[in-house]
Amino acid sequence: YDEVNPIARASKLSGALLICHGLADDNVHFRNTVEYAEALVQADKDFYEVVYANRNHGIAGGNTRNHLFRQILRFFNSQMK
């Protein structure tokens, strides 16, 4: 487990990371995301995080999906420079 545990391996992250999380996700609990973010901070690794209130694992509803895709596109475009 320790060999594949993302929290234990946070210091080995290389490259850019975008984390998007819906707070109503009952599949991936937000506490896991927070613990991973804290591990990345303590490992001095940069990352980007977008949190969506009242959205489930699919991160949809209203303009949410458009916003999510725009953030993903912006992230990838910023990394292509």
Side-chain angles (χ1 to χ4, degrees):
Y1 176 79
D2 287 337
E3 291 180 20
V4 296
N5 179 354
I7 292 172
R9 297 174 50 87
S11 65
K12 297 180 180 177
L13 178 71
S14 62
L17 176 65
L18 171 65
I19 300 172
C20 299
H21 196 111
L23 289 178
D25 189 337
D26 61 354
N27 186 13
V28 180
H29 297 278
F30 188 61
R31 180 177 177 157
N32 296 355
T33 299
V34 171
E35 289 177 4
Y36 186 51
E38 176 61 14
L40 291 169
V41 169
Q42 293 309 313
D44 202 26
K45 299 295 182 174
D46 293 331
F47 63 97
Y48 302 90
E49 186 172 29
V50 182
V51 176
Y52 292 95
N54 302 317
R55 297 296 180 242
N56 64 14
H57 192 74
I59 307 179
N63 286 323
T64 307
R65 185 59 61 96
N66 291 336
H67 185 271
L68 171 64
F69 288 158
R70 197 168 51 251
Q71 301 316 300
I72 294 169
L73 184 61
R74 180 177 294 142
F75 175 76
F76 281 118
N77 283 338
S78 72
Q79 298 306 311
M80 298 298 291
K81 295 178 181 180

